[in-house]
């Protein structure tokens, strides 16, 4: 056809040229999609774990969305019944109307329902409310404001207050406003904003929003499918778990309170120990220095059996304390903090604070000590009530324990920390058997109660878990029954640096230990082709 | 221009197949199209006067054209013979549009003077007619007063006769299709 000419087409015919190109493009797109799906499959395989996590998140989001949607629907239905006397069918019709608006104008139903409820409340008529809703949607789209603002302006305008509506729709004439003619005002507003909501919905932004809304709807649908499961679970917790727990707590509340009282008393005593230990440490700086050099030397050379034995001695003492200490915070502080007086003091302060607030948060201080209660197989204890279960169960094991009265070592003036530990260990050994017997009986009683609640105990666990627990208990028993005990670590208040360790009946002096160390180091260095300390003395091995 | 257009489909396929059975039928169809387009062409040529639209419009091209006019080519002379000869019909397919349609028959106005006469003063959508008191403004006003609004030659004919031409061609195409179907049925039998 001529170029540059004026062309006036008379006859028009269909051409498949363009459609063939389109088909080709579609085929190409199909191949690309196939390729993408293959890659996506691989990626999905690699990210299966992540997908599972995502699925969990989607499930959670879905349930939350469904819960919100259900709440929103219920509120609107209530308003429709109360204000407009709407029947069940009418409520369903309004829901359909909301859904159609959502799809048509890409406005979420969570915004539409409150707006509809307000307009129905104002007019008392679903039809009138729908008319005003259309106006509000157009005003919202035209002015760029949210739907709630537009509805607010419309509601005010129905009572002759046009200021808000005039702000959103400047086309509303001042003459009409002065005349207070509501019908004419709405006529002008409708004329000025007609089709604005539809136009806005056709924009890219709102089409994307529409996709987002559609995804939200899918989530809600999924959530509605999951809701019955959640409801069943909640019912089980409400009707079975919580009443049982409440009854148990009511039955044992006096004993629980007594347990915490004992714990508080012991905490006060531990605070005294911590303070005494701090004083002792400051009076024995030379001994500390010697220990520091010893420890540094051990770690510089490697693993030395004697040092490990010494550590065992300290650990054993700490294990004794941990068993005696009722609060988990105190026990963990000693176990993890070792001889840290500061950690002990903080732990004591923690337990005092917990008791001081009237047992308000027992789970935070004793939750970690409930090792006899297994929650591995039963999901129910993972609920919020779990903390209460663990908190309530653990102290009960010690309630009324005679050893609690026996453990009252007296700190006298001039006693060292080691002296105190020695006294304490003596007391503990005498009460160990009684403690064990009582614990076993109480544990059996408790297990029966837990079984009634549907909680699995260690006795009911599989063989592998039981074997692991048994080994762990044996290990702890070994530590506790070590003959080194507290006798292994004694201090001389005269400032002497002598450290005597009683290991299974043998007596090792500090000099013997150091000689053994030096021998070990020399052996290592000889094997490595070097001399003694490679020109350094043991004192050069700094911390 | 009429709002509704008739999109003919299967012209080429029908004629290609019909050619094997009945060449006369093909000729009859082509005759209808050619006849309609020729009539339109003749009508368009009839709108071209021998005398220029305005007295100042020279019958010959400018000897010393302004460099700023038509890229240095100057204002084209009003040569009625050339203008008429360059008003032609065509059955060539043009560019396929986005709606998968193309031309099956059109009128062309290919001369420069004819094109100016055709479209001078056409108002693009969204703009308004010029009211400038300049020579160009006066030219457009005078042209409009004497010959009416833009679309003065081929488009005027198309606007006037398009519906009739389309209907005639469609009827001819339907006849051709029916003829082809008849032959195909006979062939199958």
């Amino acid at each position: 056809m001529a170029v540059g000419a004026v062309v006036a087409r008379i006859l028009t015919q269909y051409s498949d040229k363009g459609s063939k190109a389109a088909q080709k493009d579609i085929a190409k797109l199909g191949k690309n999609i196939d390729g993408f799906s293959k890659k996506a499959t691989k990626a999905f395989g690699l990210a299966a774990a992540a997908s599972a996590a995502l699925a969990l998140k989607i499930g959670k989001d879905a349930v939350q969305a469904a819960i919100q949607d259900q709440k929103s629907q219920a509120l609107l239905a209530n308003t429709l019944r109360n204000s407009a006397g709407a029947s069940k069918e009418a409520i369903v019709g309004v829901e359909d109307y909301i859904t159609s608006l959502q799809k048509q104008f890409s406005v979420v139903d969570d915004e539409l329902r409150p707006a509809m409820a307000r307009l129905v409340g104002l007019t008392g008529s679903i039809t009138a409310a729908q008319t005003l809703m259309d106006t509000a949607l157009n005003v919202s789209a035209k002015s760029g404001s949210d739907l709630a603002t537009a509805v607010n302006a419309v509601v005010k305008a129905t009572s002759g207050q046009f200021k808000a509506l005039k702000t959103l729709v400047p086309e509303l004439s001042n003459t009409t406003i002065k005349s207070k003619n509501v019908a004419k005002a709405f006529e002008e507003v409708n004329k000025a904003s007609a089709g604005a909501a539809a136009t806005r919905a056709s924009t890219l932004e709102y089409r994307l929003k529409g996709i987002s809304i559609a995804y939200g709807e899918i989530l809600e649908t999924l959530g509605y499918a999951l809701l019955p499961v959640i409801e069943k679970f909640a019912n089980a917790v409400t009707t079975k778990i919580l009443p049982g727990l409440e009854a148990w707590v009511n039955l044992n509340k006096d004993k629980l309170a007594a347990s915490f009282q004992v714990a508080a008393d012991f905490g006060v005593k531990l605070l005294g120990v911590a303070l005494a230990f701090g004083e002792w440490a400051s009076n024995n700086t030379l001994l500390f220095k010697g220990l520091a050099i010893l420890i540094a030397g051990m770690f510089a050379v490697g693993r030395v059996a004697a040092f490990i034995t010494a550590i065992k001695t300290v650990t054993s003492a700490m294990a004794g304390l941990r068993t005696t200490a009722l609060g988990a915070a105190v026990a963990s502080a000693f176990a993890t903090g070792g001889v840290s007086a500061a950690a002990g003091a903080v732990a004591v302060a923690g337990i005092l604070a917990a008791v001081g607030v009237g047992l308000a948060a027992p789970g935070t201080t004793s939750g970690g000590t409930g090792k006899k209660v297994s929650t591995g197989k039963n999901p129910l204890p993972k609920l919020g009530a779990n903390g209460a279960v663990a908190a309530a169960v653990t102290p009960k094991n010690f309630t009324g324990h005679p050893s609690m009265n026996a453990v009252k070592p007296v700190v006298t003036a001039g006693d060292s920390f080691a002296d105190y530990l020695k006294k304490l260990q003596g007391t503990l050994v005498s009460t160990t058997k009684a403690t064990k017997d009582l614990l076993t009986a109480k544990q059996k009683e408790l297990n029966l109660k837990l079984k009634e609640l549907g909680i699995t105990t260690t006795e009911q666990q599989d063989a592998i878990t039981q074997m692991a627990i048994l080994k762990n208990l044996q290990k702890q028993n070994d530590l506790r029954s070590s003959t080194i005990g507290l006798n292994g670590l004694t201090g001389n208040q005269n400032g002497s640096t002598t450290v005597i360790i009683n290991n299974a009946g043998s007596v090792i002096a500090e000099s013997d230990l150091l000689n053994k160390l030096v021998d070990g180091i020399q052996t290592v260095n000889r094997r490595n082709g070097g001399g003694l300390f490679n020109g350094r003395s043991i004192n050069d091995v700094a911390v | 221009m009429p709002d509704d257009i008739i999109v003919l489909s299967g012209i080429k396929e029908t004629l290609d197949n019909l050619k094997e059975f009945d060449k006369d039928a093909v000729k009859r169809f082509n005759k209808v199209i050619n006849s309609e387009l020729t009539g339109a062409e003749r009508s368009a040529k009839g709108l071209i006067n021998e005398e220029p639209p305005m007295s100042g419009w020279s019958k010959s091209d400018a000897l010393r054209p302004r460099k700023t006019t038509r890229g240095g080519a100057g204002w084209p002379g009003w040569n009625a013979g050339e203008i008429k000869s360059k008003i032609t019909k065509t059955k060539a397919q043009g560019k396929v549009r986005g709606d998968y349609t193309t031309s099956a028959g059109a009128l062309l106005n290919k001369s420069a003077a004819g094109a100016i006469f055709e479209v001078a003063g056409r108002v693009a959508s969204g703009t308004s007619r010029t009211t400038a008191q300049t020579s160009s403004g006066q030219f457009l006003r005078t042209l409009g007063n004497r010959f009416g609004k833009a679309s003065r030659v081929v488009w005027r004919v198309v606007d006037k006769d398009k519906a009739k031409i389309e209907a005639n061609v469609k009827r001819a195409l339907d006849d051709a299709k029916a003829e082809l179907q008849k032959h195909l049925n006979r062939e199958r039998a």
Side-chain angles (χ1 to χ4, degrees), chain B residues 36-83:
Chain B
E36 293 295 336
L37 292 178
T38 303
E41 180 185 343
R42 193 180 303 119
S43 299
K45 286 178 177 174
L47 295 173
I48 302 298
N49 293 330
E50 289 297 321
E51 294 300 313
M54 280 178 280
S55 59
W57 194 327
S58 172
K59 287 189 175 181
S60 57
D61 293 344
L63 293 175
R64 291 187 296 279
R66 291 181 185 176
K67 290 180 182 176
T68 55
T69 306
R70 289 180 65 220
W75 191 260
W78 183 266
N79 185 339
E82 184 195 357
I83 293 171

Side-chain angles (χ1 to χ4, degrees), chain A residues 6 8 10-15, chain B residues 8 100 102 104-105 107 109 162:
Chain A
V6 176
I10 300 174
L11 298 170
T12 302
Q13 67 174 330
Y14 170 77
S15 171
Chain B
L8 306 170
Y100 304 120
T102 184
L107 289 180
N109 185 354
K162 181 180 172 72

Side-chain angles (χ1 to χ4, degrees), chain B:
Chain B
M1 188 175 176
D3 291 333
D4 298 326
I5 59 169
I6 294 174
V7 178
L8 306 170
S9 60
I11 295 178
K12 184 174 180 297
E13 292 78 4
T14 303
L15 297 182
D16 286 348
N17 289 292
L18 189 58
K19 199 183 293 178
E20 297 179 9
F21 299 107
D22 189 353
K23 290 186 179 177
D24 289 339
V26 175
K27 284 179 184 175
R28 282 197 297 274
F29 175 76
N30 285 332
K31 190 175 180 182
V32 172
I33 286 190
N34 291 334
S35 167
E36 293 295 336
L37 292 178
T38 303
E41 180 185 343
R42 193 180 303 119
S43 299
K45 286 178 177 174
L47 295 173
I48 302 298
N49 293 330
E50 289 297 321
E51 294 300 313
M54 280 178 280
S55 59
W57 194 327
S58 172
K59 287 189 175 181
S60 57
D61 293 344
L63 293 175
R64 291 187 296 279
R66 291 181 185 176
K67 290 180 182 176
T68 55
T69 306
R70 289 180 65 220
W75 191 260
W78 183 266
N79 185 339
E82 184 195 357
I83 293 171
K84 287 180 181 175
S85 68
K86 289 193 173 178
I87 292 174
T88 58
K89 63 178 188 298
T90 178
K91 290 191 285 184
Q93 289 189 4
K95 189 172 71 175
V96 178
R97 292 182 176 179
D99 57 359
Y100 304 120
T101 62
T102 184
S103 172
L107 289 180
L108 305 179
N109 185 354
K110 295 190 284 189
S111 67
I116 289 173
F117 182 66
E118 172 95 43
V119 300
R122 178 182 288 178
V123 180
S125 61
T127 61
S128 57
R129 194 175 298 279
T130 179
T131 56
Q133 299 300 315
T134 57
S135 57
S136 60
Q138 186 58 48
F139 169 77
L140 294 177
R141 277 191 291 277
T142 305
L143 202 60
N145 291 337
R146 291 184 185 176
F147 301 96
K149 291 195 291 187
S151 299
R152 300 181 183 92
V153 189
V154 293
W155 270 113
R156 180 165 294 179
V157 173
V158 169
D159 288 346
K160 181 169 166 278
D161 298 334
K162 181 180 172 72
K164 179 177 69 73
I165 296 170
E166 276 181 345
N168 290 339
V169 173
K170 185 173 184 306
R171 198 179 304 118
L173 179 62
D174 289 344
D175 291 344
K177 284 180 180 176
E179 191 73 23
L180 174 62
Q181 190 63 49
K182 199 190 300 176
H183 286 292
L184 289 173
N185 292 341
R186 195 179 298 152
E187 184 81 5
R188 195 177 300 140

